[in-house]
Amino acid sequence: MRRTGTQANSATVSTSWLNLAIEAVMDLIDAMGNFSIITRGALGIDNGLCCEVAPSNPEAVFLDKNVYYPVTLALNGKHSDLQVLSETLNNIMDNLTRRRTYPTGAGFEIVDITNGVMPRVIGREENNAWLMACDIIIKIYRKDNETA
């Protein structure tokens, strides 16, 4: 994984099923060729994108102990040009929610991605960088294949 350690204020990423699913979504976002790669954290660097998981609860627990989680992922961006930032976040949301196929991996399957909260301006920093935020909901089926 490329988002570990101190890269662009990103948090250390583990190999848990949830982090693997988030990494898969981040890879989808990076593949769009935005002005910056996306990192983990609450607020990115100048002219950057970042994301972090909001508190979530399982929606369904099945007899085999597999779980269906709708996970809210907060997407935040910072850029000196409001138009660039707004178009980027809107394009990310549009692209992710219109996909017909989603990643699957060890212990997880992304079933769908939907809009949570549309991009909105949350402020402007002293250096005139615009801050915007939005939420997507990643619907993840957790497949507990290896533990009892």
Side-chain angles (χ1 to χ4, degrees):
M1 289 182 221
R2 58 185 160 63
R3 295 177 189 88
T4 58
T6 59
Q7 177 193 0
N9 297 330
S10 60
T12 301
V13 178
S14 74
T15 56
S16 73
W17 66 270
L18 179 56
N19 282 327
L20 291 172
I22 300 307
E23 280 284 323
V25 172
M26 292 170 73
D27 288 342
L28 291 175
I29 293 170
D30 284 344
M32 295 175 203
N34 299 306
F35 63 83
S36 169
I37 65 166
I38 191 162
T39 59
R40 290 288 296 265
L43 192 58
I45 59 172
D46 287 340
N47 294 341
L49 299 169
C50 62
C51 67
E52 195 51 63
V53 176
S56 304
N57 292 317
E59 186 169 297
V61 178
F62 303 100
L63 291 176
D64 59 4
K65 294 298 187 181
N66 290 337
V67 180
Y68 174 73
Y69 274 96
V71 176
T72 300
L73 186 67
L75 300 175
N76 299 318
K78 186 189 306 188
H79 201 281
S80 58
D81 186 330
L82 180 59
Q83 183 72 22
V84 168
L85 182 56
S86 177
E87 286 182 11
T88 299
L89 289 178
N90 281 299
N91 287 338
I92 289 171
M93 292 191 78
D94 188 52
N95 182 287
L96 291 178
T97 58
R98 295 177 56 86
R99 294 182 63 87
R100 302 232 188 255
T101 59
Y102 294 99
T104 187
F108 76 91
E109 177 181 349
I110 296 175
V111 179
D112 195 15
I113 298 177
T114 59
N115 290 333
V117 177
M118 296 303 290
R120 70 226 176 258
V121 174
I122 57 173
R124 196 165 189 190
E125 293 188 331
E126 290 181 17
N127 66 359
N128 288 327
W130 291 95
L131 304 172
M132 289 188 75
C134 58
D135 293 340
I136 58 172
I137 300 168
I138 307 165
K139 298 175 182 178
I140 304 171
Y141 179 66
R142 181 179 185 258
K143 306 178 289 186
D144 192 6
N145 299 343
E146 301 178 35
T147 59

